Amino acid sequence: MEVTKLEHACQVVTKDGARLVIDPGGFSRPVDVEGVVAVVVTHEHPDHGTPDQLRGILDRNPDAVVLGPSGVGAALAGAGIAVEVVGDGDHLEVGPFTLDFHGVRHQRIHSSVPLVDNTGVLVDGRLFHPGDAYTVPGVPVEVLAAPVGAPWLKVGEMMDWIAAVGPRRAYPVHEATLSEVGFAMHTDRQREALGNGELVVLRPGETLTI
């Protein structure tokens, strides 16, 4: 299995010639790939999923299913994009991928900002993408897609969360809100939180074999 990190939150996971796209949002390049069996949108914010991105993927992959929590389904209904609703504790098999969903709500930004549904995805019991939340799935995680910058992110909380998940490897995602200097500072803290684990810094377009 390989994961290719695109800009910000978007990842493309490839296995046995099939692809799974996670969080194709407006901060990422157009996702121009074929062989997509499913798209997971962890929550409704546009940096994680937009109608334009999803239409582009579905035009090339008309049999792909879009998966997300109920808030994603409601947000995309007006765009005519069908969403199979998933939530915390759900288990699905799509193509060669096994998907387990963890989490309920987006991390709090501020009391004035409404909380939305957020459900992270564990792919093949190995790769966990949390969306925008400090969800600890409660099962071993081999590779963690670890948010590194966000309006809701506090570095100390990020470090505690990474330590609680305890992955063998992690790579930073959700970096579009940071400068290059801020990115390097935050990844240093991620590396510290991993202890004996390994941080792999993937630039957009780079791939990690899992």
Side-chain angles (χ1 to χ4, degrees), residues 3-8 29 171-172 175 178-181 183-184 187 200-208:
V3 56
T4 300
K5 185 203 176 302
L6 301 185
E7 293 81 6
H8 199 56
R29 69 187 73 176
Y171 62 96
E175 76 286 348
L178 298 177
S179 68
E180 284 295 315
V181 173
F183 179 77
T187 55
V200 180
V201 177
L202 298 175
R203 294 296 179 173
E206 293 183 340
T207 295
L208 177 67

Side-chain angles (χ1 to χ4, degrees), residues 60-207:
R60 296 176 183 85
N61 303 272
D63 294 329
V65 60
V66 179
L67 307 169
S70 58
V72 170
L76 292 175
I81 297 172
V83 175
E84 182 175 334
V85 173
V86 293
D88 185 55
D90 285 344
H91 171 91
L92 292 178
E93 294 185 8
V94 185
F97 299 104
T98 298
L99 307 178
D100 291 283
F101 294 89
H102 299 272
V104 177
R105 293 283 183 269
H106 191 286
Q107 202 69 25
R108 181 179 176 181
I109 298 172
H110 185 262
S111 59
S112 65
V113 180
L115 285 177
V116 300
D117 296 331
N118 181 98
T119 301
V121 62
L122 180 67
V123 183
D124 283 3
R126 304 176 71 187
L127 167 66
F128 185 55
H129 189 303
D132 282 5
Y134 295 131
T135 300
V136 178
V139 296
V141 172
E142 181 179 339
V143 179
L144 177 65
V148 68
W152 50 268
L153 187 150
K154 182 178 179 180
V155 170
E157 294 174 349
M158 172 190 73
M159 294 175 71
D160 287 343
W161 169 70
I162 291 172
V165 176
R168 287 174 49 197
R169 290 188 289 174
Y171 62 96
V173 299
H174 214 276
E175 76 286 348
T177 61
L178 298 177
S179 68
E180 284 295 315
V181 173
F183 179 77
M185 180 179 69
H186 283 51
T187 55
D188 283 347
R189 302 289 82 77
Q190 289 190 331
R191 192 172 285 109
E192 290 176 13
L194 281 165
N196 293 326
E198 178 188 9
L199 185 74
V200 180
V201 177
L202 298 175
R203 294 296 179 173
E206 293 183 340
T207 295

Side-chain angles (χ1 to χ4, degrees), residues 17-33:
R19 290 187 171 95
L20 168 72
V21 179
I22 304 173
D23 280 358
F27 292 176
S28 301
R29 69 187 73 176
V31 183
D32 185 10
V33 294

